[in-house]
Amino acid sequence: MKKMQEGFMGIALTLAKRGIGKTSPNPAVGAVIVKSAKIIGSGYHKKAGLAHAELNALKQAGANAKNADMYVTLEPCNHFGKTPPCTDAVIKAGIKKVFIGMKDPNPLVAGKGIRRLRDAGIYAEAGILENECKAINETYIKYITAKTPFVTLKLAATLDGKIATAAGESKWITGEDARKAAHQMRAEADAVMVGIGTVLKDNPELTTRLVTGKDPVRIVVDSKLSIPLNAKVLKLGKDGVIIATVRSQGSEVRSQKIKQLKAKGAEILALSSKNGMVDLKALMKELAKREITSLIVEGGSTLAASAIKQGVVDKVSIFLAPKLLGKEGLPMIGGLGIKRLKDAVSLSRLKCKRLGDDILLEGYLNCKS
């Protein structure tokens, strides 16, 4: 029985993954309806504001849903949001049993959906493939519980940890497969962030041009508002670019620059400073207020070090190319002030994947945002 339950939940998980990067700030959810060991309905949450996975599966099953079982990766909601409660639809359809991957950490749900189903006489069981269900919604879980985005530090480096030559040449350290994977990460994230040094040196677009998908919100950490008005990141226009800078008494030149940036559609976030640089924790809170649930930090080495030191990084993704640049190359992470090995930043839950000639190494930091 357990193997069969996990099999159907696995199918629901596969469906849920189709929604990753499209449902923010909501979770990615998949559901299947089963009768006599056969799937009679399936669905997933396609986009925030549209019907939830349960409703799509029920629509496909129709009247056959009566006395059937439902497998859903996340606890059905029991409150009115942009859509009606899914529990009401499940009860009305006559579903007999509901098998759930994980409970919803959202305080508006948090066990209330399961309780509603049970009160209606429906058998409800949670915890089937729970870890796998949590993994596909790690960004949602962090956003809901910590009220800050899930942050991935993405780096592309040689085997000896260099992101560019001494002259600043970095195109391209990794191959096309790795670059496409990096663009897919952008497509699945709400926002991508770089430091002003990267903008001045590389003038990146920060788009998803190598894959099919939406462009993320682009964030530039720029303490002194040094960004050129013709920078490529400014081309996205309204609601697409955020410039994070430090609060200042200001000058006429700075005020004029702010006006010019706003005229190009950029939003200016003036925040507190930390050692003369933007306070990244304060920035994370502001981004969460804008329903940015997931963020990729792409560079450069100074911003990478600041993000780690300020404790905002949850996950590290390093694309490693089979190349060596030696001590003359630029390091992928700036100074962390670490003098003892026991104080080294450690990663856990490591995963490794080959992408053409390159390798993607991923792990989680244990620091708290």
Side-chain angles (χ1 to χ4, degrees):
M1 179 64 75
K2 182 180 179 182
K3 190 172 182 180
M4 182 182 73
Q5 291 175 350
E6 290 182 347
F8 286 125
M9 188 60 75
I11 294 171
L13 269 165
T14 299
L15 288 167
K17 290 176 183 177
R18 295 182 187 177
I20 293 176
K22 303 178 182 72
T23 62
S24 180
N26 296 336
V29 184
V32 295
I33 298 172
V34 178
K35 201 170 192 179
S36 301
K38 292 183 180 180
I39 294 176
I40 60 171
S42 63
Y44 68 98
H45 187 32
K46 296 180 179 180
K47 187 179 179 182
L50 298 183
H52 288 187
E54 299 94 322
L55 300 181
N56 288 327
L58 286 169
K59 183 178 180 181
Q60 192 176 103
N64 286 334
K66 188 173 183 179
N67 293 322
D69 298 339
M70 174 179 281
Y71 291 81
V72 59
T73 57
L74 183 72
E75 177 182 4
C77 62
N78 187 42
H79 66 284
F80 281 91
K82 292 181 179 178
T83 58
C86 290
T87 50
D88 289 357
V90 172
I91 293 167
K92 186 178 179 181
I95 292 291
K96 186 177 180 180
K97 298 179 180 180
V98 179
F99 298 97
I100 298 161
M102 63 170 280
K103 292 181 180 179
D104 193 333
N106 188 337
L108 293 174
V109 187
K112 296 173 187 174
I114 293 174
R115 193 177 312 123
R116 174 78 174 100
L117 294 173
R118 289 173 177 169
D119 288 346
I122 296 173
Y123 175 84
E125 178 184 345
I128 300 168
L129 296 185
E130 183 176 15
N131 290 336
E132 290 86 343
C133 290
K134 285 182 176 179
I136 67 166
N137 276 313
E138 59 187 8
T139 60
Y140 169 74
I141 295 170
K142 167 78 182 296
Y143 174 70
I144 284 294
T145 58
K147 302 294 187 292
T148 55
F150 184 93
V151 179
T152 300
L153 174 59
K154 195 273 297 183
L155 302 163
T158 60
L159 286 180
D160 53 349
K162 308 300 181 180
I163 59 172
T165 66
E169 184 184 356
S170 60
K171 294 181 180 178
W172 297 103
I173 283 179
T174 54
E176 187 175 356
D177 289 347
R179 295 200 299 277
K180 282 184 178 179
H183 279 221
Q184 185 60 41
M185 286 175 61
R186 289 179 184 173
E188 294 177 0
D190 290 337
V192 58
M193 185 167 79
V194 296
I196 183 59
T198 297
V199 173
L200 294 175
K201 181 169 63 73
D202 297 335
N203 196 19
E205 295 180 18
L206 302 178
T207 63
T208 57
R209 62 192 178 280
L210 297 182
V211 298
T212 300
K214 63 174 179 58
D215 287 331
V217 173
R218 293 181 272 191
I219 302 164
V220 179
V221 179
D222 183 6
S223 301
K224 298 179 180 179
L225 282 185
S226 305
I227 186 169
L229 294 175
N230 62 350
K232 291 179 181 178
V233 290
L234 295 174
K235 290 182 180 179
L236 198 55
K238 185 172 173 56
D239 299 326
V241 183
I242 295 173
I243 310 295
T245 188
V246 298
R247 290 196 191 102
S248 169
Q249 293 297 326
S251 64
E252 189 173 335
V253 173
R254 183 180 173 90
S255 298
Q256 182 62 26
K257 184 68 172 286
I258 290 174
K259 287 180 182 178
Q260 291 172 322
L261 289 169
K262 286 183 176 180
K264 285 185 167 290
E267 178 183 3
I268 310 300
L269 278 181
L271 304 164
S272 56
S273 65
K274 201 169 186 71
N275 300 320
M277 302 175 73
V278 172
D279 185 334
L280 296 181
K281 283 193 174 183
L283 174 57
M284 294 306 111
K285 290 178 182 178
E286 288 298 322
L287 296 181
K289 291 177 185 177
R290 289 153 178 79
E291 294 191 334
I292 290 176
T293 68
S294 55
L295 169 69
I296 299 174
V297 177
E298 290 203 5
S301 61
T302 300
L303 181 60
S306 293
I308 291 173
K309 287 193 290 186
Q310 293 189 43
V312 302
V313 177
D314 297 291
K315 183 178 182 180
V316 177
S317 297
I318 307 176
F319 293 89
L320 289 171
K323 299 170 184 175
L324 301 170
L325 285 176
K327 70 176 184 178
E328 293 82 10
L330 301 178
M332 63 179 173
I333 298 174
L336 295 175
I338 296 170
K339 294 186 169 115
R340 298 178 298 179
L341 191 57
K342 69 176 185 177
D343 296 327
V345 177
S346 14
L347 302 180
S348 61
R349 292 181 282 160
L350 291 176
K351 289 183 180 179
C352 188
K353 180 181 180 181
R354 184 164 181 172
L355 296 164
D357 291 331
D358 304 316
I359 293 171
L360 172 59
L361 182 65
E362 295 185 298
Y364 293 80
L365 265 66
N366 297 318
C367 56
K368 295 182 179 179
S369 301

